[in-house]
């Protein structure tokens, strides 16, 4: 016995309703590509790189070349945090190849990158050279406290054996100007860029590199969760994350593992 109404039109309508409109996906992909290019990370750190961004239904492919290995990771971490992104296929290549792990060039790059992410040091005015895993810092520091903090951050980079700080302290007036500048820039930093910087910061510092953390940012407020080995480790995560460019506040929800 045949049905009173043909099933074909009903099935067709159901299928059409189940398939999202092509223009909706296209708009989302265009928004992802535009947001990545306008992000703080891409405009501040990756402007010298040749990165092509292509999104298809939320799957983003990165192609082209970057100057340093750290830029490859930074681009991926930033794009992965953008709304609508489901997956990132990172096909970026490092120009001239990547330096050997723990080589002096590799360490110098890591130290420079680490200093860039922190607002209470001045990476632009800090010269970094490395020989036999010993870092030498030269340039200008706004205060003695900034000079000491630069030493602390450089010394905590994985692979660094020691730090010689030959920086010159230039004065408090520069410090005030630097702080004002950072606040101005910080207000413009997007959440995806903040999250990427925090993740890279925790990875590069040896004191937190092995800590299991999840990082989320909303309106400049960073929330970290996961496991810390002890209270000191948890406190250090908060300290490092709080000093990252653009971070307004850190909420630390990490669990301290019970001591054996």
């Amino acid at each position: 016995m045949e049905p009173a109404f043909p099933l074909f039109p009903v099935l067709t309508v159901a299928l059409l309703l189940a398939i999202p409109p092509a223009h909706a996906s296209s708009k989302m992909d265009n928004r992802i590509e535009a947001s990545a290019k306008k992000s703080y990370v891409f405009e501040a750190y990756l402007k010298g790189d040749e990165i092509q961004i292509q999104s298809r239904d939320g799957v983003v492919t990165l192609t082209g070349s970057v100057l340093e290995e750290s830029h490859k990771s930074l681009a991926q971490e930033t794009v992965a945090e953008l709304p609508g992104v489901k997956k990132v296929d990172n096909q970026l290549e490092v120009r001239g190849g990547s330096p050997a792990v723990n080589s002096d060039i590799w360490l110098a790059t890591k130290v420079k990158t680490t200093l860039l992410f922190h607002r209470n040091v001045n990476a632009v005015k800090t010269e970094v050279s490395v020989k036999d895993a010993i870092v030498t810092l030269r340039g200008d520091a706004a205060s003695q406290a900034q000079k000491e903090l630069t030493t602390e951050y450089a010394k905590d980079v994985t692979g660094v054996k020691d730090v010689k700080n030959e920086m010159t302290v230039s004065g408090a007036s520069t410090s005030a100007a630097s702080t004002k500048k950072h606040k101005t820039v910080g207000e413009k930093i997007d959440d995806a860029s903040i999250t990427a910087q925090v993740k890279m910061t925790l990875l590069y510092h040896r004191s937190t590199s092995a800590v299991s953390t999840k990082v989320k940012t909303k309106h400049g407020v960073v929330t970290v969760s996961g496991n810390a080995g002890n209270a000191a480790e948890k406190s250090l995560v908060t300290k490092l994350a709080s000093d990252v460019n653009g971070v307004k506040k850190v909420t630390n929800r990490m669990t301290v593992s019970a001591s054996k």
Side-chain angles (χ1 to χ4, degrees):
M1 183 176 180
E2 295 184 0
F5 300 99
L7 294 175
F8 182 73
V10 178
L11 290 172
T12 302
V13 172
L15 287 170
L16 288 173
L17 290 174
I19 301 173
H23 68 85
S25 295
S26 177
K27 280 185 177 181
M28 179 189 70
D29 289 324
N30 291 338
R31 185 166 61 247
I32 288 171
E33 292 171 6
S35 296
K37 291 174 184 176
K38 292 178 182 178
S39 68
Y40 174 81
V41 160
F42 274 74
E43 291 189 341
Y45 304 136
L46 308 180
K47 57 185 177 183
D49 298 316
E50 297 176 357
I51 302 176
Q52 287 79 50
I53 307 162
Q54 188 176 52
S55 180
R56 290 290 178 270
D57 297 325
V59 178
V60 181
T61 303
L62 301 177
T63 56
S65 62
V66 293
L67 295 169
E68 302 169 5
E69 183 70 34
S70 62
H71 289 196
K72 182 177 178 178
S73 301
L74 190 56
Q76 177 167 338
E77 291 288 0
T78 303
V79 172
E81 293 299 323
L82 294 172
V85 173
K86 300 173 184 174
K87 181 184 176 183
V88 179
D89 180 11
N90 193 341
Q91 299 179 15
L92 292 170
E93 296 181 356
V94 181
R95 293 175 213 170
S98 302
V101 175
N102 285 330
S103 65
D104 288 342
I105 296 175
W106 185 82
L107 287 173
T109 300
K110 289 190 75 172
V111 171
K112 288 176 183 177
T113 304
T114 300
L115 297 180
L116 273 174
F117 296 152
H118 291 298
R119 62 168 153 245
N120 285 321
V121 294
N122 195 333
V124 177
K125 292 189 176 182
T126 305
E127 299 171 18
V128 180
S129 59
V130 183
K131 186 174 183 180
D132 299 328
I134 297 175
V135 176
T136 300
L137 303 172
R138 298 185 179 91
D140 297 325
S143 64
Q144 184 61 34
Q146 187 181 77
K147 179 178 179 179
E148 292 172 1
L149 189 60
T150 306
T151 301
E152 179 186 332
Y153 285 158
K155 192 174 287 187
D156 196 40
V157 170
T158 304
V160 172
K161 292 180 179 178
D162 198 8
V163 175
K164 296 178 181 178
N165 194 328
E166 299 175 1
M167 298 177 74
T168 303
V169 177
S170 57
S173 58
T174 308
S175 177
S178 177
T179 302
K180 184 178 180 181
K181 178 183 176 183
H182 279 304
K183 284 184 178 178
T184 304
V185 173
E187 291 171 358
K188 301 175 183 177
I189 301 180
D190 53 288
D191 288 341
S193 292
I194 292 173
T195 296
Q197 290 181 99
V198 171
K199 285 184 175 180
M200 295 286 284
T201 293
L202 298 179
L203 179 65
Y204 276 16
H205 282 284
R206 84 176 87 216
S207 300
T208 53
S209 60
V211 180
S212 176
T213 53
K214 292 181 180 178
V215 182
K216 290 295 179 184
T217 307
K218 187 173 183 179
H219 305 311
V221 178
V222 173
T223 300
V224 290
S225 57
N227 299 314
N230 51 55
E233 211 171 60
K234 178 179 178 179
S235 178
L236 186 59
V237 168
T238 301
K239 175 186 174 181
L240 293 174
S242 297
D243 194 31
V244 167
N245 296 321
V247 174
K248 296 177 180 177
K249 179 184 176 184
V250 175
T251 300
N252 195 328
R253 294 178 179 167
M254 298 180 73
T255 302
V256 176
S257 302
S259 56
K260 296 180 181 179

